């Protein structure tokens, strides 16, 4: 199983979803789901716990015994401590969730419609695309590093609160791309 999706929500309303992408049930007896660093909180699955083939298991914050707000990473490990999976969640609001898309894959997304116990559905933004990327420019290049965006939609698009979060860390302010 993998950590497939999570949401923080209001105090005590968050949850973590595991997904088993295999064709066989997986015995997770005694497995641990915890925050990184481990001193921040840990949940242990019951001795008879399993995740069915292609199934989802959801554990809420009350069961976990810890909050999911602003966590650095969530780790799934066997009863003996062997690492199985980890998820570094994306920044989300209380109405969103973060996880994998498609289910079980390594691509991480923010979901506008959390899907506790079901398939994740991503709404992909395709109006604005990255058209050029300059990294490590040649010596003497006065243009420096840059990322070029193109608005393909034919209408103005607000980039307010859009962000690059991997490799480059940048959050757009009140910027509107013309059509």
């Amino acid at each position: 199983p993998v950590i497939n999706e999570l949401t923080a929500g209001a105090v005590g309303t968050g949850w973590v979803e595991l997904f088993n992408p295999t064709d066989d049930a997986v015995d997770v007896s005694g497995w641990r789901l915890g925050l990184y660093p481990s001193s921040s909180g840990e949940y242990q699955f019951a001795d008879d716990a399993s995740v069915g083939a292609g199934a989802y298991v959801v554990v809420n914050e009350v069961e976990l015994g810890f909050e999911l707000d602003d966590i650095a990473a969530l780790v799934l490990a066997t009863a003996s401590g062997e690492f199985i999976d980890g998820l570094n969640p994306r920044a989300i609001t209380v109405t969103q969730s973060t996880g994998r898309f498609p289910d079980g894959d390594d691509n991480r997304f923010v979901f506008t419609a959390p899907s506790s116990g079901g398939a994740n559905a991503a709404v992909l933004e395709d109006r604005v695309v990255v058209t050029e990327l300059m990294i490590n420019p040649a010596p003497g290049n006065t243009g420096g590093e840059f990322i070029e965006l193109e608005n393909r939609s034919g209408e103005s698009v607000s980039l307010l609160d859009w962000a690059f979060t991997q490799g480059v860390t940048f959050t757009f302010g009140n910027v509107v791309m013309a059509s």
Side-chain angles (χ1 to χ4, degrees):
V2 296
I3 302 167
N4 199 52
E5 184 180 9
L6 69 85
T7 190
V11 174
T13 64
W15 46 264
V16 176
E17 173 190 87
L18 300 184
F19 171 64
N20 178 2
T22 72
D23 294 330
D24 298 307
V26 176
D27 180 1
V28 295
S29 298
W31 284 25
R32 297 185 299 247
L33 187 59
L35 299 176
Y36 182 83
S38 61
S39 62
S40 301
E42 186 173 86
Y43 168 82
Q44 187 166 9
F45 288 89
D47 288 339
D48 60 350
S50 67
V51 182
Y56 302 87
V57 168
V58 177
V59 183
N60 65 49
E61 284 179 332
V62 173
E63 295 169 296
L64 288 171
F66 54 85
E67 295 287 321
L68 297 167
D69 296 343
D70 301 317
I71 64 173
L74 193 61
V75 176
L76 179 64
T78 65
S80 64
E82 178 186 349
F83 175 84
I84 298 297
D85 189 42
L87 182 76
N88 300 69
R90 304 291 177 252
I92 56 174
T93 67
V94 296
T95 62
Q96 299 172 320
S97 64
T98 180
R100 301 169 189 269
F101 183 79
D103 289 332
D105 203 359
D106 202 33
N107 296 314
R108 312 295 167 83
F109 284 85
V110 170
F111 304 112
T112 56
S115 58
S116 175
N120 294 340
V123 178
L124 302 178
E125 174 59 67
D126 63 355
R127 297 175 298 166
V128 176
V129 297
V130 174
T131 54
E132 189 172 357
L133 177 66
M134 170 59 80
I135 57 171
N136 298 323
N141 178 335
T142 59
E145 298 181 333
F146 66 87
I147 300 172
E148 179 182 274
L149 302 177
E150 179 185 348
N151 178 356
R152 303 185 314 173
S153 72
E155 59 188 48
S156 295
V157 176
S158 171
L159 301 182
L160 181 63
D161 294 329
W162 284 31
F164 289 105
T165 61
Q166 291 185 337
V168 173
T169 303
F170 180 81
T171 301
F172 289 89
N174 192 15
V175 175
V176 176
M177 288 189 72
S179 57

